[in-house]
mmCIF file with all atom_site columns, all heavy atoms in Angstrom:
data_model
loop_
_atom_site.group_PDB
_atom_site.id
_atom_site.type_symbol
_atom_site.label_atom_id
_atom_site.label_alt_id
_atom_site.label_comp_id
_atom_site.label_asym_id
_atom_site.label_entity_id
_atom_site.label_seq_id
_atom_site.pdbx_PDB_ins_code
_atom_site.Cartn_x
_atom_site.Cartn_y
_atom_site.Cartn_z
_atom_site.occupancy
_atom_site.B_iso_or_equiv
_atom_site.pdbx_formal_charge
_atom_site.auth_seq_id
_atom_site.auth_comp_id
_atom_site.auth_asym_id
_atom_site.auth_atom_id
_atom_site.pdbx_PDB_model_num
ATOM 1   N N   . ALA A 1 1  ? 93.609  140.607 69.697 1.00 0.00 ? 1  ALA A N   1
ATOM 2   C CA  . ALA A 1 1  ? 94.057  141.834 70.355 1.00 0.00 ? 1  ALA A CA  1
ATOM 3   C C   . ALA A 1 1  ? 95.528  141.784 70.715 1.00 0.00 ? 1  ALA A C   1
ATOM 4   O O   . ALA A 1 1  ? 96.210  142.809 70.750 1.00 0.00 ? 1  ALA A O   1
ATOM 5   C CB  . ALA A 1 1  ? 93.215  142.078 71.603 1.00 0.00 ? 1  ALA A CB  1
ATOM 6   N N   . THR A 1 2  ? 96.060  140.562 70.974 1.00 0.00 ? 2  THR A N   1
ATOM 7   C CA  . THR A 1 2  ? 97.442  140.412 71.431 1.00 0.00 ? 2  THR A CA  1
ATOM 8   C C   . THR A 1 2  ? 98.097  139.228 70.722 1.00 0.00 ? 2  THR A C   1
ATOM 9   O O   . THR A 1 2  ? 97.406  138.340 70.183 1.00 0.00 ? 2  THR A O   1
ATOM 10  C CB  . THR A 1 2  ? 97.490  140.146 72.943 1.00 0.00 ? 2  THR A CB  1
ATOM 11  O OG1 . THR A 1 2  ? 96.861  138.867 73.210 1.00 0.00 ? 2  THR A OG1 1
ATOM 12  C CG2 . THR A 1 2  ? 96.774  141.251 73.712 1.00 0.00 ? 2  THR A CG2 1
ATOM 13  N N   . PRO A 1 3  ? 99.438  139.157 70.734 1.00 0.00 ? 3  PRO A N   1
ATOM 14  C CA  . PRO A 1 3  ? 100.125 137.991 70.171 1.00 0.00 ? 3  PRO A CA  1
ATOM 15  C C   . PRO A 1 3  ? 99.700  136.691 70.841 1.00 0.00 ? 3  PRO A C   1
ATOM 16  O O   . PRO A 1 3  ? 99.556  135.658 70.173 1.00 0.00 ? 3  PRO A O   1
ATOM 17  C CB  . PRO A 1 3  ? 101.604 138.294 70.416 1.00 0.00 ? 3  PRO A CB  1
ATOM 18  C CG  . PRO A 1 3  ? 101.685 139.783 70.499 1.00 0.00 ? 3  PRO A CG  1
ATOM 19  C CD  . PRO A 1 3  ? 100.406 140.216 71.150 1.00 0.00 ? 3  PRO A CD  1
ATOM 20  N N   . SER A 1 4  ? 99.517  136.710 72.144 1.00 0.00 ? 4  SER A N   1
ATOM 21  C CA  . SER A 1 4  ? 99.109  135.498 72.859 1.00 0.00 ? 4  SER A CA  1
ATOM 22  C C   . SER A 1 4  ? 97.739  135.023 72.403 1.00 0.00 ? 4  SER A C   1
ATOM 23  O O   . SER A 1 4  ? 97.516  133.821 72.201 1.00 0.00 ? 4  SER A O   1
ATOM 24  C CB  . SER A 1 4  ? 99.101  135.769 74.364 1.00 0.00 ? 4  SER A CB  1
ATOM 25  O OG  . SER A 1 4  ? 98.710  134.612 75.079 1.00 0.00 ? 4  SER A OG  1
ATOM 26  N N   . GLU A 1 5  ? 96.823  135.953 72.201 1.00 0.00 ? 5  GLU A N   1
ATOM 27  C CA  . GLU A 1 5  ? 95.495  135.571 71.737 1.00 0.00 ? 5  GLU A CA  1
ATOM 28  C C   . GLU A 1 5  ? 95.546  135.010 70.319 1.00 0.00 ? 5  GLU A C   1
ATOM 29  O O   . GLU A 1 5  ? 94.827  134.068 69.986 1.00 0.00 ? 5  GLU A O   1
ATOM 30  C CB  . GLU A 1 5  ? 94.555  136.779 71.782 1.00 0.00 ? 5  GLU A CB  1
ATOM 31  C CG  . GLU A 1 5  ? 93.109  136.441 71.384 1.00 0.00 ? 5  GLU A CG  1
ATOM 32  C CD  . GLU A 1 5  ? 92.214  137.665 71.373 1.00 0.00 ? 5  GLU A CD  1
ATOM 33  O OE1 . GLU A 1 5  ? 92.548  138.667 72.045 1.00 0.00 ? 5  GLU A OE1 1
ATOM 34  O OE2 . GLU A 1 5  ? 91.171  137.621 70.676 1.00 0.00 ? 5  GLU A OE2 1
ATOM 35  N N   . GLU A 1 6  ? 96.422  135.557 69.496 1.00 0.00 ? 6  GLU A N   1
ATOM 36  C CA  . GLU A 1 6  ? 96.552  135.034 68.137 1.00 0.00 ? 6  GLU A CA  1
ATOM 37  C C   . GLU A 1 6  ? 97.058  133.589 68.162 1.00 0.00 ? 6  GLU A C   1
ATOM 38  O O   . GLU A 1 6  ? 96.595  132.739 67.395 1.00 0.00 ? 6  GLU A O   1
ATOM 39  C CB  . GLU A 1 6  ? 97.483  135.910 67.298 1.00 0.00 ? 6  GLU A CB  1
ATOM 40  C CG  . GLU A 1 6  ? 97.504  135.490 65.830 1.00 0.00 ? 6  GLU A CG  1
ATOM 41  C CD  . GLU A 1 6  ? 98.383  136.365 64.950 1.00 0.00 ? 6  GLU A CD  1
ATOM 42  O OE1 . GLU A 1 6  ? 99.026  137.301 65.478 1.00 0.00 ? 6  GLU A OE1 1
ATOM 43  O OE2 . GLU A 1 6  ? 98.438  136.102 63.741 1.00 0.00 ? 6  GLU A OE2 1
ATOM 44  N N   . LEU A 1 7  ? 98.012  133.291 69.058 1.00 0.00 ? 7  LEU A N   1
ATOM 45  C CA  . LEU A 1 7  ? 98.483  131.911 69.204 1.00 0.00 ? 7  LEU A CA  1
ATOM 46  C C   . LEU A 1 7  ? 97.378  131.002 69.739 1.00 0.00 ? 7  LEU A C   1
ATOM 47  O O   . LEU A 1 7  ? 97.253  129.846 69.309 1.00 0.00 ? 7  LEU A O   1
ATOM 48  C CB  . LEU A 1 7  ? 99.701  131.875 70.132 1.00 0.00 ? 7  LEU A CB  1
ATOM 49  C CG  . LEU A 1 7  ? 101.027 132.309 69.505 1.00 0.00 ? 7  LEU A CG  1
ATOM 50  C CD1 . LEU A 1 7  ? 102.070 132.546 70.584 1.00 0.00 ? 7  LEU A CD1 1
ATOM 51  C CD2 . LEU A 1 7  ? 101.515 131.254 68.511 1.00 0.00 ? 7  LEU A CD2 1
ATOM 52  N N   . ASP A 1 8  ? 96.555  131.513 70.680 1.00 0.00 ? 8  ASP A N   1
ATOM 53  C CA  . ASP A 1 8  ? 95.420  130.733 71.180 1.00 0.00 ? 8  ASP A CA  1
ATOM 54  C C   . ASP A 1 8  ? 94.488  130.369 70.025 1.00 0.00 ? 8  ASP A C   1
ATOM 55  O O   . ASP A 1 8  ? 94.049  129.213 69.899 1.00 0.00 ? 8  ASP A O   1
ATOM 56  C CB  . ASP A 1 8  ? 94.634  131.533 72.226 1.00 0.00 ? 8  ASP A CB  1
ATOM 57  C CG  . ASP A 1 8  ? 95.401  131.720 73.533 1.00 0.00 ? 8  ASP A CG  1
ATOM 58  O OD1 . ASP A 1 8  ? 96.350  130.947 73.778 1.00 0.00 ? 8  ASP A OD1 1
ATOM 59  O OD2 . ASP A 1 8  ? 95.043  132.643 74.286 1.00 0.00 ? 8  ASP A OD2 1
ATOM 60  N N   . ASN A 1 9  ? 94.186  131.357 69.180 1.00 0.00 ? 9  ASN A N   1
ATOM 61  C CA  . ASN A 1 9  ? 93.299  131.123 68.039 1.00 0.00 ? 9  ASN A CA  1
ATOM 62  C C   . ASN A 1 9  ? 93.897  130.103 67.070 1.00 0.00 ? 9  ASN A C   1
ATOM 63  O O   . ASN A 1 9  ? 93.194  129.238 66.547 1.00 0.00 ? 9  ASN A O   1
ATOM 64  C CB  . ASN A 1 9  ? 93.029  132.429 67.299 1.00 0.00 ? 9  ASN A CB  1
ATOM 65  C CG  . ASN A 1 9  ? 92.222  133.414 68.115 1.00 0.00 ? 9  ASN A CG  1
ATOM 66  O OD1 . ASN A 1 9  ? 91.563  133.034 69.086 1.00 0.00 ? 9  ASN A OD1 1
ATOM 67  N ND2 . ASN A 1 9  ? 92.257  134.686 67.731 1.00 0.00 ? 9  ASN A ND2 1
ATOM 68  N N   . ALA A 1 10 ? 95.213  130.221 66.835 1.00 0.00 ? 10 ALA A N   1
ATOM 69  C CA  . ALA A 1 10 ? 95.877  129.302 65.911 1.00 0.00 ? 10 ALA A CA  1
ATOM 70  C C   . ALA A 1 10 ? 95.827  127.868 66.443 1.00 0.00 ? 10 ALA A C   1
ATOM 71  O O   . ALA A 1 10 ? 95.554  126.920 65.693 1.00 0.00 ? 10 ALA A O   1
ATOM 72  C CB  . ALA A 1 10 ? 97.320  129.731 65.691 1.00 0.00 ? 10 ALA A CB  1
ATOM 73  N N   . ALA A 1 11 ? 96.096  127.698 67.727 1.00 0.00 ? 11 ALA A N   1
ATOM 74  C CA  . ALA A 1 11 ? 96.060  126.359 68.324 1.00 0.00 ? 11 ALA A CA  1
ATOM 75  C C   . ALA A 1 11 ? 94.669  125.756 68.212 1.00 0.00 ? 11 ALA A C   1
ATOM 76  O O   . ALA A 1 11 ? 94.512  124.567 67.862 1.00 0.00 ? 11 ALA A O   1
ATOM 77  C CB  . ALA A 1 11 ? 96.487  126.445 69.795 1.00 0.00 ? 11 ALA A CB  1
ATOM 78  N N   . MET A 1 12 ? 93.645  126.549 68.479 1.00 0.00 ? 12 MET A N   1
ATOM 79  C CA  . MET A 1 12 ? 92.274  126.056 68.396 1.00 0.00 ? 12 MET A CA  1
ATOM 80  C C   . MET A 1 12 ? 91.920  125.683 66.957 1.00 0.00 ? 12 MET A C   1
ATOM 81  O O   . MET A 1 12 ? 91.274  124.660 66.700 1.00 0.00 ? 12 MET A O   1
ATOM 82  C CB  . MET A 1 12 ? 91.320  127.128 68.930 1.00 0.00 ? 12 MET A CB  1
ATOM 83  C CG  . MET A 1 12 ? 89.873  126.688 69.014 1.00 0.00 ? 12 MET A CG  1
ATOM 84  S SD  . MET A 1 12 ? 88.858  127.800 70.042 1.00 0.00 ? 12 MET A SD  1
ATOM 85  C CE  . MET A 1 12 ? 89.587  129.399 69.720 1.00 0.00 ? 12 MET A CE  1
ATOM 86  N N   . MET A 1 13 ? 92.367  126.483 66.005 1.00 0.00 ? 13 MET A N   1
ATOM 87  C CA  . MET A 1 13 ? 92.061  126.229 64.605 1.00 0.00 ? 13 MET A CA  1
ATOM 88  C C   . MET A 1 13 ? 92.722  124.939 64.124 1.00 0.00 ? 13 MET A C   1
ATOM 89  O O   . MET A 1 13 ? 92.090  124.103 63.455 1.00 0.00 ? 13 MET A O   1
ATOM 90  C CB  . MET A 1 13 ? 92.528  127.417 63.760 1.00 0.00 ? 13 MET A CB  1
ATOM 91  C CG  . MET A 1 13 ? 91.983  127.441 62.348 1.00 0.00 ? 13 MET A CG  1
ATOM 92  S SD  . MET A 1 13 ? 92.533  128.923 61.452 1.00 0.00 ? 13 MET A SD  1
ATOM 93  C CE  . MET A 1 13 ? 91.887  130.228 62.506 1.00 0.00 ? 13 MET A CE  1
ATOM 94  N N   . ILE A 1 14 ? 93.991  124.764 64.454 1.00 0.00 ? 14 ILE A N   1
ATOM 95  C CA  . ILE A 1 14 ? 94.703  123.566 64.002 1.00 0.00 ? 14 ILE A CA  1
ATOM 96  C C   . ILE A 1 14 ? 94.084  122.319 64.621 1.00 0.00 ? 14 ILE A C   1
ATOM 97  O O   . ILE A 1 14 ? 93.940  121.284 63.950 1.00 0.00 ? 14 ILE A O   1
ATOM 98  C CB  . ILE A 1 14 ? 96.202  123.678 64.342 1.00 0.00 ? 14 ILE A CB  1
ATOM 99  C CG1 . ILE A 1 14 ? 96.839  124.813 63.532 1.00 0.00 ? 14 ILE A CG1 1
ATOM 100 C CG2 . ILE A 1 14 ? 96.924  122.364 64.065 1.00 0.00 ? 14 ILE A CG2 1
ATOM 101 C CD1 . ILE A 1 14 ? 98.249  125.153 63.942 1.00 0.00 ? 14 ILE A CD1 1
ATOM 102 N N   . ARG A 1 15 ? 93.710  122.385 65.893 1.00 0.00 ? 15 ARG A N   1
ATOM 103 C CA  . ARG A 1 15 ? 93.043  121.240 66.524 1.00 0.00 ? 15 ARG A CA  1
ATOM 104 C C   . ARG A 1 15 ? 91.752  120.886 65.785 1.00 0.00 ? 15 ARG A C   1
ATOM 105 O O   . ARG A 1 15 ? 91.419  119.710 65.612 1.00 0.00 ? 15 ARG A O   1
ATOM 106 C CB  . ARG A 1 15 ? 92.720  121.547 67.981 1.00 0.00 ? 15 ARG A CB  1
ATOM 107 C CG  . ARG A 1 15 ? 93.901  121.494 68.926 1.00 0.00 ? 15 ARG A CG  1
ATOM 108 C CD  . ARG A 1 15 ? 93.435  121.434 70.376 1.00 0.00 ? 15 ARG A CD  1
ATOM 109 N NE  . ARG A 1 15 ? 94.536  121.700 71.293 1.00 0.00 ? 15 ARG A NE  1
ATOM 110 C CZ  . ARG A 1 15 ? 94.808  122.891 71.810 1.00 0.00 ? 15 ARG A CZ  1
ATOM 111 N NH1 . ARG A 1 15 ? 94.046  123.939 71.506 1.00 0.00 ? 15 ARG A NH1 1
ATOM 112 N NH2 . ARG A 1 15 ? 95.838  123.057 72.624 1.00 0.00 ? 15 ARG A NH2 1
ATOM 113 N N   . SER A 1 16 ? 91.011  121.883 65.340 1.00 0.00 ? 16 SER A N   1
ATOM 114 C CA  . SER A 1 16 ? 89.748  121.622 64.642 1.00 0.00 ? 16 SER A CA  1
ATOM 115 C C   . SER A 1 16 ? 89.974  120.978 63.281 1.00 0.00 ? 16 SER A C   1
ATOM 116 O O   . SER A 1 16 ? 89.086  120.298 62.762 1.00 0.00 ? 16 SER A O   1
ATOM 117 C CB  . SER A 1 16 ? 88.958  122.923 64.480 1.00 0.00 ? 16 SER A CB  1
ATOM 118 O OG  . SER A 1 16 ? 89.545  123.771 63.496 1.00 0.00 ? 16 SER A OG  1
ATOM 119 N N   . TRP A 1 17 ? 91.163  121.200 62.704 1.00 0.00 ? 17 TRP A N   1
ATOM 120 C CA  . TRP A 1 17 ? 91.465  120.596 61.411 1.00 0.00 ? 17 TRP A CA  1
ATOM 121 C C   . TRP A 1 17 ? 91.963  119.162 61.550 1.00 0.00 ? 17 TRP A C   1
ATOM 122 O O   . TRP A 1 17 ? 91.765  118.341 60.645 1.00 0.00 ? 17 TRP A O   1
ATOM 123 C CB  . TRP A 1 17 ? 92.531  121.415 60.685 1.00 0.00 ? 17 TRP A CB  1
ATOM 124 C CG  . TRP A 1 17 ? 92.090  122.779 60.267 1.00 0.00 ? 17 TRP A CG  1
ATOM 125 C CD1 . TRP A 1 17 ? 90.802  123.220 60.152 1.00 0.00 ? 17 TRP A CD1 1
ATOM 126 C CD2 . TRP A 1 17 ? 92.932  123.890 59.920 1.00 0.00 ? 17 TRP A CD2 1
ATOM 127 N NE1 . TRP A 1 17 ? 90.778  124.530 59.754 1.00 0.00 ? 17 TRP A NE1 1
ATOM 128 C CE2 . TRP A 1 17 ? 92.068  124.976 59.602 1.00 0.00 ? 17 TRP A CE2 1
ATOM 129 C CE3 . TRP A 1 17 ? 94.304  124.082 59.851 1.00 0.00 ? 17 TRP A CE3 1
ATOM 130 C CZ2 . TRP A 1 17 ? 92.555  126.231 59.206 1.00 0.00 ? 17 TRP A CZ2 1
ATOM 131 C CZ3 . TRP A 1 17 ? 94.790  125.316 59.467 1.00 0.00 ? 17 TRP A CZ3 1
ATOM 132 C CH2 . TRP A 1 17 ? 93.930  126.375 59.140 1.00 0.00 ? 17 TRP A CH2 1
ATOM 133 N N   . LEU A 1 18 ? 92.642  118.862 62.646 1.00 0.00 ? 18 LEU A N   1
ATOM 134 C CA  . LEU A 1 18 ? 93.237  117.542 62.821 1.00 0.00 ? 18 LEU A CA  1
ATOM 135 C C   . LEU A 1 18 ? 92.167  116.495 63.148 1.00 0.00 ? 18 LEU A C   1
ATOM 136 O O   . LEU A 1 18 ? 91.185  116.804 63.817 1.00 0.00 ? 18 LEU A O   1
ATOM 137 C CB  . LEU A 1 18 ? 94.268  117.576 63.946 1.00 0.00 ? 18 LEU A CB  1
ATOM 138 C CG  . LEU A 1 18 ? 95.578  118.301 63.645 1.00 0.00 ? 18 LEU A CG  1
ATOM 139 C CD1 . LEU A 1 18 ? 96.364  118.501 64.924 1.00 0.00 ? 18 LEU A CD1 1
ATOM 140 C CD2 . LEU A 1 18 ? 96.393  117.522 62.625 1.00 0.00 ? 18 LEU A CD2 1
ATOM 141 N N   . PRO A 1 19 ? 92.371  115.253 62.690 1.00 0.00 ? 19 PRO A N   1
ATOM 142 C CA  . PRO A 1 19 ? 91.410  114.197 63.033 1.00 0.00 ? 19 PRO A CA  1
ATOM 143 C C   . PRO A 1 19 ? 91.544  113.812 64.505 1.00 0.00 ? 19 PRO A C   1
ATOM 144 O O   . PRO A 1 19 ? 92.624  113.908 65.097 1.00 0.00 ? 19 PRO A O   1
ATOM 145 C CB  . PRO A 1 19 ? 91.831  113.044 62.125 1.00 0.00 ? 19 PRO A CB  1
ATOM 146 C CG  . PRO A 1 19 ? 93.285  113.268 61.863 1.00 0.00 ? 19 PRO A CG  1
ATOM 147 C CD  . PRO A 1 19 ? 93.467  114.765 61.841 1.00 0.00 ? 19 PRO A CD  1
ATOM 148 N N   . LEU A 1 20 ? 90.428  113.401 65.097 1.00 0.00 ? 20 LEU A N   1
ATOM 149 C CA  . LEU A 1 20 ? 90.489  112.829 66.432 1.00 0.00 ? 20 LEU A CA  1
ATOM 150 C C   . LEU A 1 20 ? 91.170  111.472 66.371 1.00 0.00 ? 20 LEU A C   1
ATOM 151 O O   . LEU A 1 20 ? 91.257  110.854 65.311 1.00 0.00 ? 20 LEU A O   1
ATOM 152 C CB  . LEU A 1 20 ? 89.078  112.688 67.020 1.00 0.00 ? 20 LEU A CB  1
ATOM 153 C CG  . LEU A 1 20 ? 88.295  114.005 67.169 1.00 0.00 ? 20 LEU A CG  1
ATOM 154 C CD1 . LEU A 1 20 ? 86.868  113.708 67.633 1.00 0.00 ? 20 LEU A CD1 1
ATOM 155 C CD2 . LEU A 1 20 ? 88.992  114.951 68.130 1.00 0.00 ? 20 LEU A CD2 1
ATOM 156 N N   . ASP A 1 21 ? 91.677  110.995 67.499 1.00 0.00 ? 21 ASP A N   1
ATOM 157 C CA  . ASP A 1 21 ? 92.438  109.745 67.528 1.00 0.00 ? 21 ASP A CA  1
ATOM 158 C C   . ASP A 1 21 ? 91.651  108.576 66.943 1.00 0.00 ? 21 ASP A C   1
ATOM 159 O O   . ASP A 1 21 ? 92.221  107.681 66.312 1.00 0.00 ? 21 ASP A O   1
ATOM 160 C CB  . ASP A 1 21 ? 92.847  109.414 68.962 1.00 0.00 ? 21 ASP A CB  1
ATOM 161 C CG  . ASP A 1 21 ? 93.890  110.393 69.494 1.00 0.00 ? 21 ASP A CG  1
ATOM 162 O OD1 . ASP A 1 21 ? 94.531  111.059 68.662 1.00 0.00 ? 21 ASP A OD1 1
ATOM 163 O OD2 . ASP A 1 21 ? 94.023  110.496 70.718 1.00 0.00 ? 21 ASP A OD2 1
ATOM 164 N N   . HIS A 1 22 ? 90.332  108.563 67.133 1.00 0.00 ? 22 HIS A N   1
ATOM 165 C CA  . HIS A 1 22 ? 89.540  107.413 66.697 1.00 0.00 ? 22 HIS A CA  1
ATOM 166 C C   . HIS A 1 22 ? 88.986  107.599 65.285 1.00 0.00 ? 22 HIS A C   1
ATOM 167 O O   . HIS A 1 22 ? 88.312  106.712 64.768 1.00 0.00 ? 22 HIS A O   1
ATOM 168 C CB  . HIS A 1 22 ? 88.368  107.182 67.669 1.00 0.00 ? 22 HIS A CB  1
ATOM 169 C CG  . HIS A 1 22 ? 87.391  108.315 67.697 1.00 0.00 ? 22 HIS A CG  1
ATOM 170 N ND1 . HIS A 1 22 ? 87.601  109.434 68.472 1.00 0.00 ? 22 HIS A ND1 1
ATOM 171 C CD2 . HIS A 1 22 ? 86.219  108.510 67.042 1.00 0.00 ? 22 HIS A CD2 1
ATOM 172 C CE1 . HIS A 1 22 ? 86.579  110.279 68.310 1.00 0.00 ? 22 HIS A CE1 1
ATOM 173 N NE2 . HIS A 1 22 ? 85.733  109.746 67.436 1.00 0.00 ? 22 HIS A NE2 1
ATOM 174 N N   . GLU A 1 23 ? 89.261  108.763 64.656 1.00 0.00 ? 23 GLU A N   1
ATOM 175 C CA  . GLU A 1 23 ? 88.706  109.020 63.333 1.00 0.00 ? 23 GLU A CA  1
ATOM 176 C C   . GLU A 1 23 ? 89.699  108.643 62.234 1.00 0.00 ? 23 GLU A C   1
ATOM 177 O O   . GLU A 1 23 ? 90.908  108.723 62.410 1.00 0.00 ? 23 GLU A O   1
ATOM 178 C CB  . GLU A 1 23 ? 88.363  110.508 63.183 1.00 0.00 ? 23 GLU A CB  1
ATOM 179 C CG  . GLU A 1 23 ? 87.147  110.937 63.978 1.00 0.00 ? 23 GLU A CG  1
ATOM 180 C CD  . GLU A 1 23 ? 86.850  112.413 63.737 1.00 0.00 ? 23 GLU A CD  1
ATOM 181 O OE1 . GLU A 1 23 ? 87.780  113.143 63.336 1.00 0.00 ? 23 GLU A OE1 1
ATOM 182 O OE2 . GLU A 1 23 ? 85.704  112.800 63.947 1.00 0.00 ? 23 GLU A OE2 1
ATOM 183 N N   . VAL A 1 24 ? 89.162  108.251 61.109 1.00 0.00 ? 24 VAL A N   1
ATOM 184 C CA  . VAL A 1 24 ? 89.992  108.062 59.921 1.00 0.00 ? 24 VAL A CA  1
ATOM 185 C C   . VAL A 1 24 ? 90.102  109.402 59.226 1.00 0.00 ? 24 VAL A C   1
ATOM 186 O O   . VAL A 1 24 ? 89.319  110.321 59.460 1.00 0.00 ? 24 VAL A O   1
ATOM 187 C CB  . VAL A 1 24 ? 89.371  107.013 58.966 1.00 0.00 ? 24 VAL A CB  1
ATOM 188 C CG1 . VAL A 1 24 ? 89.314  105.658 59.634 1.00 0.00 ? 24 VAL A CG1 1
ATOM 189 C CG2 . VAL A 1 24 ? 87.976  107.450 58.513 1.00 0.00 ? 24 VAL A CG2 1
#
């Protein structure tokens, strides 16, 4: 709905793609 929400969604998406610290 807003630019801020789009950035929230982007941050959440990128985190889901990145490996956790303990993962290979």
Side-chain angles (χ1 to χ4, degrees):
T2 65
S4 180
E5 183 183 338
E6 187 178 2
L7 282 167
D8 290 340
N9 293 341
M12 185 165 34
M13 194 177 301
I14 294 171
R15 284 195 193 95
S16 73
W17 293 342
L18 288 168
L20 300 175
D21 291 341
H22 64 277
E23 288 182 338
V24 297

